Amino acid sequence: MAALVDNGTDTVTDTTTGLMWQKATAPGTYTWQQALAYAETLTLAGYTDWRLPNHNELQSLVDYSRYNPSIDPLLASDTVSSDYWSSTSNATSGKDGLTIIAWPVDFNVGSNFHGG
C-alpha cells in the first residue's frame, strides 16, 4: 500500500517507492496510445520527464482496505474513472495475428486485467 505525501504542487510522492504521481486525473478519456502521449508531453510541478507508470507501479497505489475507489483518500477525490492505463503491454496471438493488449488497473476494486 502506498504511503503518500502531498507535495503541494498538484503532485504526491509515494515514500515507499519514491515515485511522484500527478494528483489530479488527466482531463478527458484516452485510448492507451493517447494516455502514453499525454504522459510523455506533460509539464507539471516543474518536471517534463513524466511517463505512464508500468503495471506494478500503478498497482502499488491500490489500497485493498478501501472500495470504490480502492485508493488512498489523498488521490480518491481526483479519481474520476475506475480504469487507468499502465505502460505495460502484452502481446497475444489471436485469429487475426499478433495483438497488443495493455494492462490497466481498475481502482474501483483494485483489480488488474488485460485491456484492448
Side-chain angles (χ1 to χ4, degrees), residues 5-113:
V5 175
D6 191 332
N7 298 319
T9 58
D10 296 324
T11 64
V12 296
T13 297
D14 182 343
T15 59
T16 304
T17 64
L19 295 171
M20 184 184 296
W21 298 89
Q22 178 181 359
K23 188 173 179 183
T25 296
T29 302
Y30 300 93
T31 65
W32 184 48
Q33 292 80 8
Q34 290 169 330
L36 289 165
Y38 170 82
E40 291 172 3
T41 59
L42 180 65
T43 298
L44 179 64
Y47 295 92
T48 59
D49 61 346
W50 294 95
R51 62 177 174 80
L52 209 57
N54 69 41
H55 172 260
N56 291 332
E57 292 167 340
L58 191 58
Q59 190 73 33
S60 76
L61 291 176
V62 172
D63 181 347
Y64 292 103
S65 69
R66 301 180 187 285
Y67 176 78
N68 195 19
S70 58
I71 195 166
D72 187 292
L74 193 55
L75 293 174
S77 64
D78 292 303
T79 304
V80 298
S81 172
S82 60
D83 300 332
Y84 286 82
W85 292 115
S86 77
S87 63
T88 306
S89 63
N90 184 24
T92 63
S93 180
K95 67 178 182 177
D96 60 347
L98 191 63
T99 302
I100 302 299
I101 298 174
W103 283 92
V105 171
D106 176 354
F107 283 105
N108 185 41
V109 295
S111 65
N112 61 74
F113 53 92

